[in-house]
Each structure stands twice: as structure tokens, then as C-alpha cells.
Amino acid sequence: MSHIRGLEDGTSEIRGVVLSSSANEKIVDGLRRGIGALFAGDREEHFVATPVISRRTSERAGYPTTFPQLLGAVHGSQDGDEPTATDLVLTSAACHHLYPLLAGKVLGAPTCLSVEATCYRGEKTYETGRLRSFRMYEVVRFGQAGAVEQWRDRALRSADQWLSGLGLSTRVVQASDPFFGRTGDFLARTQREQQLKWEITAELTEDLSQAIASANYHKEYFGEAFEITNTDGSETHSACLAFGLDRITLALRHAHGVDTSDWPLAVRANLAL
Ligand code: AMP
Ligand code: ZN
């Protein structure tokens, strides 16, 4: 039986929404531990976030204008009337939960936090691994421009080493986000020109590779939006490394098989399976 129902066998009634078995969750737990170990040296604190976030935070992060096609909102009825928009939207990226924590603060030292959230994106296609609801584990680093960019490069390299050590044939490729509309084309071009976004890809099926992790250098974008500064008064720069927990699990099962007891010993040991 498939460990993620609905992904390969079409058993899900709702496209892009899946149910994960406990065998599958053991792999996800192993991944959480692995990522934690990878960043044990620089991460100060880990958070688990809700699948909803304040609309104000999403707006401050610029998501409704840059990705309106992906955003989902929570509607509710106060008194049994027609449901209307509430002050909550669905989490689009795990790291959005961290910026309000630091809003208005002066960061005395480089800051590194991590967070996991179930994210929603209104994807239009549903090939393997393209879900509308999925788990994202992000490590986010704040600080001075040069140091943050160097951290992004280092983090990307060590994530790639760890993922290939799990037996995945990974590739590190430059990427851009699917920003909305004509302004979006410009944003994506700038993102590519400045090499702000990189993805680690792996095979999920014989003829399909997907990004299993992404590293983004935001420059001062979130520092400015959430008024986070360095001690010298400059806006803090930030970068995040996002792991797609469900996609990594799919890639592992494609590489090693459905039953984890058949997986290579080194991989099982690495994930404590
Ligand atoms: P992004 O913010 O688009 O760079 O996404 C961060 C990571 O989340 C990606 O590298 C993927 O591993 C994962 N991810 C993004 N979109 C989806 C999706 N629709 N379904 C499953 N995983 C996703
Ligand atoms: Zn992020």
C-alpha cells in the first residue's frame, strides 16, 4: 500500500491533498531530526507553527500582491450568515511566522531560527509532489548582508551533501518564484540575475524531478517590511533554507522503495528508521 495515499495511486478524493501513514511519518520525523542536527551549530530556537497566519502578516510579507494566485484565505460566519473573510489566511511559507517575532527589534548578533508549518498553495496542476497542502521546514538566518549571503551558500551546500548522503541523486539549480503578472516577470528576472534563489532537485518519479529544498536570499526585503535592524541601524538582511518534507519523503521512497526495511542500512541509520 502506498504510504502517502492519493499521491501515486489516485485514491485521494481531493487533488493535491494527501493522507500520510504512520510509516511515512517515521520518515518525516527522521528528516526533522536530520535537519535539526545539520543546523545544531547556528540555530537558536525551533518553532512549530499553525496552518493559519494573520492576514496582516501575509500582507506585510507582500504575499497577496506577489502571489495572489497561490494564497488561500479563511472564511467564517459570525452568526450563521454567509461566511466572510476573517483576519486569517492560510500559511503560504513557514518562514512568514518568524518575521513578526522580530518585528521592530534591533538584532545585536546574527540570529538563526527554524520553523515548521503546514502550508497551503493554490497550485493549478497536481503532478507527483505538487500538493496544495504540504509540510515545510525552514531555517532562517538574519544579519549583515555579506554574512547572510555566505550562510545561504553554506546552508545550501550542507543540505545538498546531507540529501545526497541519503541516497538521492540531487542537483543544485538556480531558480525563480512564480510571481504574479507582468510585474512578476520583472521580479523573477531580477531574482535570476541576482542569483537569489537556488533549488535542490531530485527525482520523484522516473521522469519527474521536483525541488525538494530551496534556498532564498531575501536581501533587506523582510528587514524593511518588518522593521528589523542591525545594531548599526541598517536593515537586517535575511535568507531561508526551506525543506519540503513531503517531497523529500517521496524522493526517498522513489530512490529506495516503499518499504523502509529494504532501504540501505546507512540511510536507515541516518534517519533512525
Ligand atoms: P518555495 O517557497 O516555493 O521555494 O518552496 C519551498 C520548498 O517547499 C520547495 O523546495 C519544495 O520542496 C516545497 N514545496 C513548494 N511547493 C510545494 C507543493 N506545491 N507541494 C509540495 N511541496 C512544495
Ligand atoms: Zn522562507
Side-chain angles (χ1 to χ4, degrees):
M1 192 171 75
S2 171
H3 285 311
I4 302 186
R5 281 179 71 87
L7 266 184
E8 295 111 289
D9 55 9
T11 53
S12 176
E13 289 183 14
I14 317 163
R15 292 191 300 168
V17 177
V18 295
L19 192 61
S20 180
S21 69
S22 59
N24 204 69
E25 288 306 292
K26 278 197 187 136
I27 305 173
V28 175
D29 275 341
L31 295 174
R32 291 186 178 110
R33 271 193 301 275
I35 300 166
L38 215 53
F39 292 95
D42 45 0
R43 174 178 78 174
E44 286 135 60
E45 210 166 337
H46 178 68
F47 298 89
V48 177
T50 54
V52 294
I53 192 165
S54 110
R55 181 184 295 275
R56 174 83 192 99
T57 299
S58 177
E59 285 168 358
R60 238 176 143 177
Y63 209 83
T65 42
T66 41
F67 303 102
Q69 80 281 22
L70 299 178
L71 184 64
V74 178
H75 284 61
S77 173
Q78 291 278 314
D79 41 19
D81 285 353
E82 274 297 292
T84 52
T86 67
D87 57 347
L88 296 175
V89 294
L90 301 179
T91 301
S92 309
C95 67
H96 290 176
H97 286 280
L98 296 179
Y99 307 118
L101 269 186
L102 303 179
K105 295 217 160 92
V106 180
L107 303 182
T111 302
C112 185
L113 304 171
S114 65
V115 59
E116 180 183 331
T118 298
C119 297
Y120 169 86
R121 291 185 185 176
E123 303 283 6
K124 294 295 176 287
T125 59
Y126 305 109
E127 63 272 26
T128 302
R130 190 167 306 282
L131 304 171
R132 284 189 287 173
S133 186
F134 56 94
R135 272 86 56 90
M136 194 190 290
Y137 187 131
E138 291 204 64
V139 188
V140 191
R141 168 73 151 78
F142 301 85
Q144 297 281 357
V148 168
E149 195 173 8
Q150 277 168 23
W151 178 89
R152 193 268 320 258
D153 294 345
R154 240 188 7 257
L156 182 65
R157 264 200 310 276
S158 59
D160 184 44
Q161 269 166 18
W162 174 62
L163 290 163
S164 21
L166 293 177
L168 301 177
S169 302
T170 58
R171 285 182 58 213
V172 176
V173 294
Q174 215 193 303
S176 59
D177 284 311
F179 294 108
F180 184 73
R182 216 178 301 153
T183 333
D185 293 340
F186 168 75
L187 290 175
R189 214 170 32 247
T190 312
Q191 202 180 24
R192 277 193 301 273
E193 276 164 14
Q194 301 189 9
Q195 306 199 336
L196 300 179
K197 186 179 185 83
W198 293 85
E199 288 177 345
I200 302 174
T201 65
E203 268 193 8
L204 267 61
T205 68
E206 222 152 83
D207 43 21
L208 176 73
S209 284
Q210 298 262 36
I212 54 171
S214 323
N216 292 281
Y217 175 34
H218 316 126
K219 301 177 88 171
E220 73 286 4
Y221 183 85
F222 289 111
E224 196 174 297
F226 289 88
E227 295 169 18
I228 314 167
T229 50
N230 299 313
T231 36
D232 62 5
S234 62
E235 270 134 3
T236 196
H237 281 227
S238 61
C240 62
L241 176 63
F243 295 87
L245 296 178
D246 300 287
R247 279 198 188 161
I248 302 174
T249 307
L250 279 167
L252 286 168
R253 290 183 41 226
H254 171 64
H256 304 309
V258 169
D259 194 343
T260 51
S261 57
D262 297 333
W263 286 17
L265 271 181
V267 177
R268 291 177 59 192
N270 199 317
L271 295 174
L273 291 172

